[in-house]
Amino acid sequence: MELNKMTISTITTFIISLALISSPSSAQTPPAPFIFSPSPFGSPTPSPAPSPSIHHVNLTDLLTVAGPFHTFLSYLLQTQVIETFQSQANDSKSGGLTLYVPSDSAFASLRKSTLSNLTNDELKTLLLYHAFPRYYTLSDFKYLSAQNPVTTFAGGSYTLNVTYDMGTIHIVSSWFKAEIISSVYSTAPVAVYVLDMVLFPKEIFTVEPALAPVPAPPPESKAADVAPGTSVSQLSPAGSSESDRTKSSSSNDVRIGLLGYLIVIFSFFLVRI
């Protein structure tokens, strides 16, 4: 009987111990290993550096300092065409600007009435005729000459021809052939070149524009009129007068010597008699 009690007690103790071991509250589970999980948004990317601001050349300041282009600049300001060119120069999406600036001497070679008789719209068109709506370097003109005629900023039939010969560049309008004599500024998207003549389209000037008369050379100095009774010796230069005096002195010496010789001969004959 006691053996049975002990057996039951042992079995009961075993069952209780087994239940405690399998219970989740008492079980000690090791901590789960740390696993790095990348962010679903990926690694952070650095913010891009701000792009440098674009420098826009001020055409008014450029033409004022780089002149003398006073005449051309005054027309640009008077007609406000300078604002059109400046807007094109500032527009990064445009093709740029190539501006042809006649020098002050080029305007001085024209008659004053050539431009003074133009209407305001004609003057605006004439100024727009001096620009291409694209940026061209000097080396580009070699290839641009094969694409004649080239449309100007005035548009439509207002075109120009370009010639390139061993580095010499001419811009040919309807009436005159102007040469690029220097480069004032050439950095994309703006190029400014100097011309030795003004460009004239036939759409505005139906006849060749008149040039100012060339100043006559100063008159050459003329010899003063000879006063009556003036001898030839008085008209001779100083050097000739000195030579004449030398010759006259020599002639007098010869005459005195001959006269002395005759006196000696005459005295000899008087003694003999």
Side-chain angles (χ1 to χ4, degrees), residues 56-70 72-73 76 82 85-86 88-90 95-103 127 130-141 169 171 179-196:
H56 300 301
V57 60
N58 187 301
L59 295 177
T60 302
D61 293 344
L62 177 64
L63 297 180
T64 300
V65 175
F69 307 125
H70 305 300
F72 189 72
L73 179 58
L76 291 176
I82 189 67
F85 288 156
Q86 189 66 62
Q88 177 77 4
N90 295 347
L97 175 71
T98 300
L99 183 62
Y100 304 108
V101 182
S103 62
L127 298 174
H130 284 73
F132 288 159
R134 291 185 63 85
Y135 167 71
Y136 294 109
T137 64
L138 289 175
S139 59
D140 291 334
F141 284 94
I169 304 171
I171 309 298
E179 181 181 348
I180 294 180
I181 56 178
S182 65
S183 173
V184 174
Y185 183 88
S186 183
T187 302
V190 177
V192 179
Y193 304 117
V194 185
L195 298 182
D196 63 347

Side-chain angles (χ1 to χ4, degrees), residues 72 74 244:
F72 189 72
S74 65
D244 291 343

